[in-house]
């Protein structure tokens, strides 16, 4: 192993250095302040929990993404969180239960065994919000609105909102009489958007003419608001649960369009993301030129049942560093003030006063001397003694 290799970080693991770290931290504070103004209360769950708590009810993707270790104290299996959502659900159920609506938010690092997208991070900073105890669409609309506000706060102006509903496929699968293996096969095909393969599979597996027509059409039901009108025609004689899902999509789309007319709406009725644990509306936000979703979420009623408290739930999350890099949230930091190395009490009092007022004051270290170019480059002003006082002046 070479000296350079010794200090390399693992693939997908990155550090954030001062300039970017300042912007990321500023955005984190801005977003937590935003959530606070909406009534969401901050929680800080631990990085590690017993595996049973972290993986119950969250689906195969989270299971495969989770690192496991053995607890040397109890001998039980521990997991390093790959998602904060199940921790929030546990907190709503046990640590911080409420009878009505419970609004929780968080910001913390998670760890994946493998990146979720090519060249993606394995240790992103996940920030998001969860709303428990609200069954109505009012809750979904609030969470989607807060997700949009999150991206706007990050400086992302062009936002495309992708809406789907897992009840559409579930009701079609039930109407077609699919068993678990068949559902799994068809979900994989729908995720790949392989229309020809889907049609071939339907021809080989579905006997009902109506169900076969519905499933053949499903992957083509994607697009703008006209997609919902077409879906109503296609599924005119379809399951009632599916018709209810279309109505929910329409109501949410109408509400978002009124609040955010500049947000482009897109519908994908064959969307399978989160199918194994989401229970209703699913949504994701995109921005042109960026292939991966910037934020995503959905309704996942019933997750609290595994913790002994069945609750309605909806929420969203995003990668803090990613949206900061894409948005450039507009915060610019003023240059620092250089203070000379001195034991002068008056200088010390002046420095303390400036720092209390929000200024960055850096004391020049005498052993670094004139070679301390990095420190000097940060300072556009300096403290200069004039008589018995110290004043701030521009650096020459």
């Amino acid at each position: 192993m070479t000296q350079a290799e010794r200090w390399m970080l693992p693939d997908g693991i990155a550090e954030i250095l001062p300039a970017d770290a300042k912007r990321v931290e500023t955005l984190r504070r801005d977003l937590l302040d935003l959530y606070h103004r909406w009534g969401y209360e901050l929680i800080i769950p631990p990085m590690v929990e017993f595996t049973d708590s972290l993986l119950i009810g969250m689906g195969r993707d989270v299971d495969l993404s989770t690192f496991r270790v053995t607890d040397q104290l109890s001998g039980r299996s521990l997991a390093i969180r790959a998602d904060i959502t199940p921790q929030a659900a546990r907190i709503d159920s046990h640590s911080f239960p409420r009878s009505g609506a419970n609004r929780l938010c968080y910001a913390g690092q998670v760890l994946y065994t493998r990146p979720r997208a090519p060249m993606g991070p394995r240790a992103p900073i996940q920030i998001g919000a969860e709303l428990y105890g609200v069954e109505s669409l009012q809750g979904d609309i609030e969470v989607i609105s807060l997700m949009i506000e999150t991206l706007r706060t990050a400086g992302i102006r062009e936002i495309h909102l992708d809406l789907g509903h897992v009840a559409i496929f579930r009701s079609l699968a039930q109407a077609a009489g699919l068993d678990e293996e068949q559902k799994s096969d068809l979900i994989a095909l729908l995720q790949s958007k392989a229309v020809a393969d889907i049609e071939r599979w339907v021809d080989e597996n579905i006997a009902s003419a109506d169900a076969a027509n519905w499933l053949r059409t499903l992957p083509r039901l994607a697009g703008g608001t006209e997609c919902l009108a077409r879906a109503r025609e296609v599924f005119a004689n379809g399951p009632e649960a599916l018709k209810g899902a279309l109505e929910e999509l329409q109501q949410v789309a109408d509400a978002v369009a009124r609040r955010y007319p500049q947000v482009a709406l897109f519908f994908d009725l064959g969307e399978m993301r989160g199918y194994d644990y989401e229970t209703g509306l699913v949504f994701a936000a995109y921005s042109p030129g960026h292939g991966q979703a910037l934020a995503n979420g959905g309704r996942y009623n019933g997750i609290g049942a595994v913790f002994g408290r069945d609750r309605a739930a909806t929420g969203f999350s995003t990668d803090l560093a990613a949206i900061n890099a894409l948005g450039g949230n507009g915060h610019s930091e003023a240059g620092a003030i250089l203070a000379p190395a001195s034991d002068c009490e008056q200088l010390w009092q002046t420095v303390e006063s400036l720092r209390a007022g929000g200024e960055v004051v850096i004391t020049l270290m005498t052993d670094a001397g004139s070679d301390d170019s990095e420190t000097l480059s940060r300072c556009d002003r300096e403290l200069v003694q004039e008589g018995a006082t110290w004043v701030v002046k521009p650096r020459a």
Side-chain angles (χ1 to χ4, degrees):
M1 179 183 293
T2 67
Q3 192 69 11
E5 290 172 331
R6 184 183 300 276
W7 303 113
M8 287 178 63
L9 292 172
D11 288 344
I13 306 296
E15 56 202 358
I16 304 177
L17 300 179
D20 289 332
K22 172 66 175 175
R23 289 190 288 270
V24 169
E25 176 60 15
T26 298
L27 179 57
R28 185 190 72 86
R29 296 179 190 182
D30 288 346
L31 291 178
L32 292 180
D33 286 344
L34 169 69
Y35 303 159
H36 174 73
R37 292 192 297 271
W38 282 53
Y40 287 75
E41 297 177 276
L42 179 65
I43 56 172
I44 306 178
M47 176 66 78
V48 177
E49 290 197 34
F50 288 120
T51 303
D52 292 344
S53 295
L54 279 181
L55 298 186
I56 292 177
M58 291 307 297
R60 178 176 171 80
D61 287 345
V62 173
D63 190 357
L64 294 176
S65 295
T66 302
F67 278 99
R68 296 167 176 81
V69 296
T70 300
D71 182 12
Q72 297 300 309
L73 293 181
S74 68
R76 293 176 60 185
S77 174
L78 298 178
I80 303 171
R81 67 186 182 199
D83 189 349
I84 299 179
T85 301
Q87 296 182 295
R90 176 184 55 75
I91 288 172
D92 172 68
S93 296
H94 291 291
S95 307
F96 193 62
R98 283 181 170 163
S99 56
N102 198 7
R103 293 174 169 86
L104 303 177
C105 63
Y106 52 80
Q109 204 158 33
V110 295
L111 182 64
Y112 306 149
T113 54
R114 295 176 179 272
R116 296 188 171 181
M119 305 301 292
R122 288 202 293 157
I125 303 170
Q126 182 181 336
I127 188 166
E130 313 292 335
L131 173 59
Y132 298 98
V134 178
E135 182 75 47
S136 70
L137 287 180
Q138 186 180 6
D140 299 277
I141 293 167
E142 175 172 298
V143 167
I144 291 171
S145 299
L146 188 54
M147 182 178 75
I148 293 171
E149 292 291 344
T150 294
L151 300 181
R152 286 158 57 102
T153 299
I156 299 168
R157 291 291 170 259
E158 195 169 355
I159 300 169
H160 292 190
L161 180 64
D162 189 347
L163 293 169
H165 203 302
V166 299
I168 293 174
F169 178 77
R170 285 204 173 113
S171 59
L172 290 178
Q174 183 176 10
L178 301 185
D179 59 31
E180 290 304 315
E181 183 178 354
Q182 288 175 316
K183 280 196 290 186
S184 179
D185 291 343
L186 185 52
I187 287 171
L189 291 172
L190 286 168
Q191 286 175 327
S192 69
K193 309 296 185 185
V195 175
D197 291 339
I198 291 170
E199 292 181 347
R200 188 179 306 109
W201 187 94
V202 169
D203 291 340
E204 294 172 354
N205 290 272
I206 307 301
S208 165
D210 283 340
N213 180 56
W214 294 335
L215 289 172
R216 286 193 202 96
T217 309
L218 185 59
R220 294 187 173 90
L221 293 174
T225 52
E226 73 284 351
C227 172
L228 294 183
R230 182 159 178 255
R232 292 190 190 95
E233 294 177 1
V234 171
F235 302 120
N237 298 319
E240 290 303 314
L242 187 153
K243 296 177 185 177
L246 293 176
E247 180 58 29
E248 288 188 357
L249 283 170
Q250 185 67 67
Q251 291 183 43
V252 170
D254 290 345
V256 172
R258 289 192 298 269
R259 293 182 178 186
Y260 304 102
Q262 72 281 19
V263 171
L265 295 177
F266 184 86
F267 301 87
D268 187 351
L269 304 192
E271 174 61 62
M272 292 294 105
R273 179 183 52 81
Y275 176 82
D276 49 0
Y277 70 92
E278 303 281 11
T279 61
L281 277 155
V282 290
F283 40 87
Y286 294 83
S287 189
H290 190 79
Q292 302 299 320
L294 302 179
N296 54 60
R299 180 162 287 279
Y300 55 103
N301 292 352
I303 188 173
V306 299
F307 300 113
R309 191 166 183 252
D310 193 342
R311 295 269 277 171
T314 181
F316 79 93
S317 65
T318 183
D319 178 345
L320 181 63
I323 62 171
N324 173 76
L326 184 64
N329 56 24
H331 287 282
S332 58
E333 185 178 2
I337 300 170
L338 184 67
S342 172
D343 291 332
C344 174
E345 182 62 24
Q346 184 64 36
L347 173 61
W348 172 250
Q349 296 299 332
T350 302
V351 168
E352 286 290 278
S353 177
L354 288 167
R355 286 171 175 163
E359 293 280 8
V360 176
V361 184
I362 302 175
T363 299
L364 185 64
M365 296 288 113
T366 54
D367 57 344
S370 60
D371 292 332
D372 194 5
S373 57
E374 287 81 5
T375 294
L376 297 176
S377 67
R378 294 179 61 192
C379 302
D380 59 5
R381 293 159 292 161
E382 62 183 335
L383 278 164
V384 177
Q385 189 171 21
E386 292 186 351
T389 63
W390 292 85
V391 296
V392 178
K393 290 192 171 184
R395 287 191 69 231

